[in-house]
């Protein structure tokens, strides 16, 4: 059999070497990495029967949002609040919260087995509108209308808008009413710790099966941090998801356009006709 | 559920270069890259994936070879011989660019299985055993495919390398063929 030409004269070897050298310094752009991740996550959420981890976390996030609002009033009725400034009667707190019809915060969720936490920006507006955005931006956006029983999921990567029906989440939309009912709840004082240079006062609150550690600036009554854990199901298996809420702002002006269920221009509307699980 | 963000971070650059080596075009490599990951997702739904890198490289190679073959066939049908349009002009100076592109065109002309085996072994440094395991063929079959592939590529590339050809034979005949080669059974 005729021997192959020596490497230096082998056109194939020369061509392979040239091709490899020309490609070695190249790599994928950040854009294609982000687009691919968005496509994978969208595909993971799509088919019936696929574990909807994000849906479970959405439910947990909404429950947590209610806990935050309850805790904001409840903690002022707790025994042990140090006299770090003028105290507020709970009635004043309840009035303040009734006047604050919005909430925004950053939600950091640690999922078992995952190195990086999941970050979401949550915006809540009465009566019962919730907007959840991925952080960093560019990922899917969930907009929920609890009163109307619908949700739209916007996917910038595929420019699609999926409209879905909702099941009842089991808590009243009028959180201010719930707040008044919870005004007499007790909690456990957790002492103090420094958060972002502020000497924060901590309380442990329990509501609707969720236990939360709530940290507040006793001087300004501003909520600094809420830490909680929740049991959700992923793929049929129970897991414990740890969540923290930070950058909490009550009563800011949130435009109605942030909560519209109309798909943005250029998006393809997909109506999900599946019935919510019972 | 796979941690796609972590898999993309860890394997993405290598998988993308696998596609780019074969295609020589960033846009094509991007599409091939995304297709490979979505295909890997489908695989992960059917079976447990233990080695993501190998799976993704194999999927990227197969898709890149298919895409390259289609591109060469399309350009042959359109009778466009503009080689500079098939690669990133700024990547490297001639004649390396031309040599790389001729190799790509030649890869597109040999049977698909030979092209896949050649790409995995010579461009991605896969061993015979790794190729055999992922393609579901024997190690001996890998050797045969590689030998045949190299032989055909050498013949196709012999036009530009200065290697003497058989007298009387049109040296450009193989690189300009318009009909696809029949796959070996």
């Amino acid at each position: 059999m005729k021997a192959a030409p020596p490497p230096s004269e082998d056109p194939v070897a020369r061509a392979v070497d040239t091709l490899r050298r020309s490609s070695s310094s190249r790599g994928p752009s950040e854009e294609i990495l982000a687009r691919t991740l968005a496509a994978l996550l969208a595909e993971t959420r799509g088919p019936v029967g696929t574990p909807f981890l994000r849906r479970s976390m959405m439910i947990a996030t909404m429950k947590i949002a209610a806990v935050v609002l309850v805790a904001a009033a409840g903690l002022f009725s707790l025994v042990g609040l140090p006299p770090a400034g003028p105290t507020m009667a709970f009635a004043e707190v309840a009035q303040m919260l009734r006047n604050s019809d919005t909430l925004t915060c950053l939600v950091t969720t640690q999922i078992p087995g995952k190195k990086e936490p999941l970050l979401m920006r949550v915006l809540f507006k009465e009566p019962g509108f919730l907007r959840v955005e991925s952080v960093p931006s560019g990922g899917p956006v969930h907009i929920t209308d609890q009163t109307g029983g619908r949700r739209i999921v916007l996917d910038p990567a595929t420019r699609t808008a999926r409209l879905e029906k909702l099941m009842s989440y089991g808590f009243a939309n009028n959180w201010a009413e719930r707040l008044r009912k919870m005004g007499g709840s007790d909690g456990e004082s957790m002492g103090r710790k420094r958060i972002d240079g502020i000497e924060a006062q901590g309380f442990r609150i329990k509501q609707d099966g969720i236990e939360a550690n709530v940290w507040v600036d006793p001087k300004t009554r501003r909520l600094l941090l809420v830490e909680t854990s929740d049991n959700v199901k992923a793929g049929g298996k129970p897991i414990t998801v740890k969540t923290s809420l930070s950058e909490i702002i009550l009563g800011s002006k949130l435009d109605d356009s942030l909560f519209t269920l109309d798909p943005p221009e250029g998006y393809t509307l997909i109506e999900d006709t599946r019935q919510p699980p019972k | 559920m796979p941690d796609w963000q972590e898999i993309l971070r860890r394997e993405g650059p290598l998988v993308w270069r696998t596609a780019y080596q074969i295609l020589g075009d960033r846009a094509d490599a991007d599409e091939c890259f995304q297709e490979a990951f979505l295909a890997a997702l489908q695989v992960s739904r059917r079976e447990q994936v233990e080695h993501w890198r190998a799976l993704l490289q194999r999927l990227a190679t197969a898709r890149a070879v298919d895409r390259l073959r289609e591109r060469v066939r399309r350009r042959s049908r359109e009778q466009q011989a503009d080689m500079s349009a098939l690669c990133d002009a700024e990547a490297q100076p001639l004649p390396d660019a031309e040599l790389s592109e001729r190799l790509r065109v030649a890869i597109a002309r040999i049977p698909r299985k030979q092209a896949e085996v050649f790409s995995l072994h010579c461009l991605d440094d896969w061993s015979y055993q790794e190729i055999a395991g992922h393609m579901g063929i024997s190690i001996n079959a890998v050797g045969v495919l590689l030998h045949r592939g190299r032989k055909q590529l050498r013949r196709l590339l012999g036009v530009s390398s200065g290697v003497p050809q058989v007298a009387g034979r049109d040296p450009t005949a193989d690189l300009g063929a318009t009909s696809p080669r029949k796959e070996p059974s």
Side-chain angles (χ1 to χ4, degrees), chain B residues 58 61-62 65 111-121 135:
Chain B
R58 167 86 208 285
T61 298
V65 166
R112 182 182 286 109
K113 265 194 171 178
Q114 291 178 17
E116 273 192 51
V117 170
F118 175 83
S119 297
L120 288 170
H121 182 72
M135 291 184 71

Side-chain angles (χ1 to χ4, degrees), chain A residues 191-195 197-202 215-218 224:
Chain A
R192 293 176 179 258
K193 75 173 180 181
R194 291 195 77 81
I195 299 175
I198 297 172
E199 190 77 4
Q201 174 74 33
W215 299 91
V216 68
D217 182 347
L224 297 175

Side-chain angles (χ1 to χ4, degrees), chain A residues 1 4-5 9-12 14-16 18-24 26-29 32-33 35-37 39-41 43-44 47 50 53 114-115, chain B residues 1 4-5 8 13 16-17 20-21 26 30 33-34 37-38 41-42 45 88 90-92 96 99-100 103-104 118 122-123 125 150 153-154 157 161:
Chain A
M1 189 166 90
E9 296 179 9
D10 182 0
V12 175
R14 264 205 322 127
V16 166
T18 301
L19 195 148
R20 290 180 66 152
R21 276 189 289 109
S22 72
S23 308
S24 62
R26 301 217 160 205
S29 63
I32 188 58
L33 290 173
R35 272 173 36 206
T36 302
L37 179 60
L40 287 164
L41 294 178
E43 184 66 25
T44 301
T50 303
L53 180 59
K114 296 192 184 301
K115 286 183 184 177
Chain B
M1 188 170 69
W4 289 113
Q5 192 163 5
L8 270 167
W16 190 89
R17 274 197 297 277
Y20 183 81
Q21 278 182 151
R26 180 168 279 277
D30 284 352
F33 175 83
Q34 188 162 321
F37 270 87
L38 288 171
L41 184 151
Q42 298 302 327
R45 282 179 171 157
D88 292 331
E90 75 283 4
Q92 53 194 318
D96 284 354
L99 188 58
S100 296
L103 176 60
R104 289 188 179 103
F118 175 83
C122 297
L123 299 182
D125 296 326
R150 275 186 172 137
L153 290 172
R154 202 169 287 127
L157 288 177
S161 68

